[in-house]
Amino acid sequence: NAGVTQTPKFQVLKTGQSMTLQCAQDMNHNSMYWYRQDPGMGLRLIYYSASEGTTDKGEVPNGYNVSRLNKREFSLRLESAAPSQTSVYFCARGTGNTGELFFGEGSRLTVL
Amino acid sequence: QQQVKQSPQSLIVQKGGISIINCAYENTAFDYFPWYQQFPGKGPALLIAIRPDVSEKKEGRFTISFNKSAKQFSLHIMDSQPGDSATYFCAASIRNSGGYQKVTFGTGTKLQVIP
């Protein structure tokens, strides 16, 4: 898993419910990312974090919040889940100066 | 606005053949171009990458060709094997004001290599 652990791996929610996806890295890199993957749309950036305590919006941030309380962990929260948020979510960590990312194995979320 | 366009969406290649996936980008500020390979149920994994000052990079059976003037780059898989069957993503990255790389992905190509 390239040193990136995501939990849970699977989750089913009802519309309006909230949940948090957890991500932790076992390296000491500053940058961490949340992407969502949908068929035919590739990987789209939701939020990213350059370092502990800083976060910034990506392409598709609406309906999500993130938290980077320490260097190791970066969580993604859905406050009121919608069916449009049914997707596979990937957390990734950066490597420093290059565009190389190391991804976790994904969290598959279904919103009914 | 899709900054990295990838084609084809799917590709079927005979074992031993050459698989070719093409990508085009718009932003000339991109400074790194990685390719990722993804198997079902797994996260994408870095396969090979190139910088824009290099026209070609080869690692084993995988080669990236880069055409800076045309703003295009491609992945060639020589002697394709059934084990290469996966989804491939091209990507482009740019250093942003926060001092780290922001990576934009293509839409992916599902490759099937048949025996």
Side-chain angles (χ1 to χ4, degrees):
Chain A
N1 66 352
V4 178
T5 302
Q6 292 183 233
T7 55
K9 287 187 170 22
F10 300 94
Q11 184 72 48
V12 179
L13 292 177
K14 294 181 180 179
T15 297
Q17 287 185 319
S18 63
M19 77 158 298
T20 300
L21 300 177
Q22 305 285 355
C23 175
Q25 60 162 325
D26 60 7
M27 302 295 284
N28 202 34
H29 286 286
N30 285 322
S31 58
M32 295 186 75
Y33 307 76
W34 276 105
Y35 285 86
R36 60 177 288 175
Q37 183 176 21
D38 302 289
M41 305 195 75
L43 291 141
R44 292 181 293 168
L45 183 63
I46 306 172
Y47 269 93
Y48 56 96
S49 170
S51 61
E52 176 183 343
T54 67
T55 62
D56 210 343
K57 296 178 180 179
E59 300 171 64
V60 288
N62 291 343
Y64 305 95
N65 285 302
V66 289
S67 177
R68 182 87 182 272
L69 295 179
N70 55 59
K71 205 167 191 178
R72 187 173 169 270
E73 298 171 300
F74 188 36
S75 61
L76 179 72
R77 183 161 178 84
L78 287 69
E79 291 291 351
S80 179
S84 61
Q85 294 177 305
T86 293
S87 187
V88 182
Y89 292 85
F90 287 99
C91 177
R93 65 166 178 87
T95 57
N97 294 323
T98 69
E100 298 173 354
L101 302 179
F102 289 93
F103 287 85
E105 297 214 327
S107 298
R108 184 175 295 274
L109 175 65
T110 301
V111 183
L112 302 175
Chain B
Q1 180 188 6
Q2 187 183 348
Q3 293 195 50
V4 180
K5 295 183 179 179
Q6 183 173 349
S7 63
Q9 190 173 359
S10 62
L11 182 62
I12 299 175
V13 173
Q14 205 87 29
K15 178 182 175 182
I18 302 173
S19 304
I20 302 174
I21 304 170
N22 299 300
C23 285
Y25 64 97
E26 297 169 4
N27 188 346
T28 55
F30 285 133
D31 58 6
Y32 199 71
F33 298 86
W35 284 86
Y36 289 82
Q37 180 188 56
Q38 185 183 30
F39 293 105
K42 301 294 185 182
L46 180 69
L47 182 64
I48 186 173
I50 197 168
R51 295 198 181 276
D53 54 348
V54 177
S55 61
E56 185 176 281
K57 184 173 181 180
K58 184 176 181 180
E59 290 184 1
R61 295 183 295 109
F62 300 91
T63 300
I64 301 177
S65 296
F66 191 87
N67 186 330
K68 190 173 182 178
S69 60
K71 293 190 286 185
Q72 295 175 346
F73 58 111
S74 60
L75 176 69
H76 292 63
I77 306 174
M78 312 300 287
D79 186 26
S80 298
Q81 299 297 311
D84 296 331
S85 297
T87 299
Y88 292 81
F89 293 95
C90 63
S93 68
I94 183 171
R95 180 177 291 279
N96 73 1
S97 58
Y100 63 97
Q101 297 282 354
K102 189 174 175 182
V103 185
T104 301
F105 287 83
T107 51
T109 297
K110 188 172 184 179
L111 171 65
Q112 184 181 0
V113 181
I114 55 176

